[in-house]
Amino acid sequence: MKKIGFLSFGHWSPSPQSGTRSGADALLQSIDLAVAAEELGADGAYFRVHHFARQLGSPFPLLAAAGAKTKRIELGTAVIDMRYENPLYMAEDAGAADLIAGGRLQLGISRGSPEQVIDGWRYFGYVPEEGKTDADMARRHAEIFLDLLRGEGFAQPNPRPMFPNPPGLLRLEPFSEGLRDRIWWGAATNATAEWAAKLGMNLQSSTLKFDEGGQRLHIQQAEQIRAFRAAWKEAGHAREPRVSVSRSIFALVNDMDRAYFGGSEGQDHFGYIEPEKRAVFGRTYAAEPDVLIEQLKEDQAIAEADTLLLTVPNQLGVDYNAHVIEAILKHVAPALGWR
């Protein structure tokens, strides 16, 4: 039984051709789309996080607001760049947003992708330790964050506090029980997927992955997911993990769909998002529903995952994006085992 949600990059542009022209538009429309997706029966509303860009950069106010306006849908990120994060402050923000949402947060975190500026995390006050890389720093921040979410006390209380303390060492508040099991790691390689499994994080795999064999994206992702599950089993965790993959999928059910996406390139391609690191970029699926169903049945990674995130063109507006989601849920998803 699959879960299906949407993933929005939250782009905004002052261009007259954009339906999302300001930061306020991007945030408020994101909340509206989460509400609309819940009404349509979708399972999740996920948002990308990018700094120094005209995109969504501060996830927790958005997640809290969406949590207050919805009742059932999962609310998540894909992904928060841990190079930029203070794990303690993040644990407080995440706990508060999760409590507002009634325990529906699904937080994707990662090392992050190339950003708009050089070493942007330095402007946030973070520098890797000597001999370490920014990726090492991100993983260290993630490990601290995960430890904080266990809810164990670690801070020595003041003997004369302003307010009475519970006995023992103090933890960060507000604490949200169960959030620790709803943290995901966005992995671009098999090795980082296995590392995430050992730490008890769920797995997010995007529409691109570093090339580790030359095969198509869905084949490499399926291998990554199997490696993750094997590492999870070896680690001996008590619960079952979750795995999501992201895809650009458009059911062409009217003339507007065909005008926007009818000419989409239907194949993967290889390129570079970082020097000397070749990546495979996933295709866009755009076809009539019956054709889409057959194409998606051949996608090995979708078959291996339990959650599918549909990337949406958010600058086309809430109504059109709700239509994109509804078309998939109504005409394609049931044939893939959803519900």
Side-chain angles (χ1 to χ4, degrees), residues 21 35 44 61 67 75 92 101 114 141 150 178 189 222 234 251 315 324:
R21 300 185 185 180
V35 172
L75 301 165
E92 290 183 339
H141 286 180
R150 298 183 190 280
T189 67
E234 183 178 350
Q315 289 188 92
V324 167

Side-chain angles (χ1 to χ4, degrees), residues 143-282:
E143 290 168 349
I144 295 171
F145 178 60
L146 293 174
D147 284 342
L148 293 169
L149 293 185
R150 298 183 190 280
E152 298 173 357
F154 62 92
Q156 189 68 40
N158 188 333
R160 291 184 293 275
M162 182 177 296
F163 308 105
N165 282 324
L169 299 177
L170 301 183
R171 67 186 183 188
L172 292 174
E173 302 289 355
F175 175 72
S176 185
E177 190 75 41
L179 180 57
R180 173 61 178 79
D181 290 341
R182 288 178 273 116
I183 307 301
W184 308 55
W185 185 261
T189 67
N190 291 3
T192 51
E194 292 170 353
W195 171 82
K198 291 175 183 177
L199 268 65
M201 287 186 281
N202 302 310
L203 175 65
Q204 288 181 338
S205 198
S206 183
T207 51
L208 66 86
K209 180 184 177 296
F210 288 130
D211 180 26
E212 297 183 275
Q215 304 100 329
R216 295 174 60 187
L217 173 68
H218 75 97
I219 296 173
Q220 294 200 46
Q221 273 188 327
E223 293 175 352
Q224 180 191 47
I225 293 168
R226 289 191 287 269
F228 168 81
R229 292 191 186 280
W232 185 279
K233 183 177 180 180
E234 183 178 350
H237 301 302
R239 67 178 180 88
E240 286 297 313
R242 288 184 60 184
V243 175
S244 74
V245 295
S246 304
R247 290 290 184 270
S248 298
I249 306 174
F250 301 96
L252 307 182
V253 299
N254 62 30
D255 289 341
M256 185 174 292
D257 298 330
R258 285 182 278 273
Y260 280 135
F261 301 106
S264 298
E265 184 178 357
Q267 58 184 335
D268 295 351
H269 66 278
F270 293 82
Y272 292 83
I273 59 170
E274 293 185 6
E276 301 180 359
K277 285 189 176 181
R278 194 169 91 136
V280 54
F281 298 81

Side-chain angles (χ1 to χ4, degrees), residues 111-166:
R111 188 213 71 171
S113 59
E115 294 288 310
Q116 297 297 102
V117 300
I118 298 171
D119 295 348
W121 27 270
R122 293 184 184 272
Y123 295 98
F124 278 54
Y126 303 114
V127 180
E129 296 177 4
E130 186 174 353
K132 301 291 187 179
T133 67
D134 61 312
D136 295 328
M137 180 174 66
R139 285 189 282 269
R140 179 58 182 153
H141 286 180
E143 290 168 349
I144 295 171
F145 178 60
L146 293 174
D147 284 342
L148 293 169
L149 293 185
R150 298 183 190 280
E152 298 173 357
F154 62 92
Q156 189 68 40
N158 188 333
R160 291 184 293 275
M162 182 177 296
F163 308 105
N165 282 324

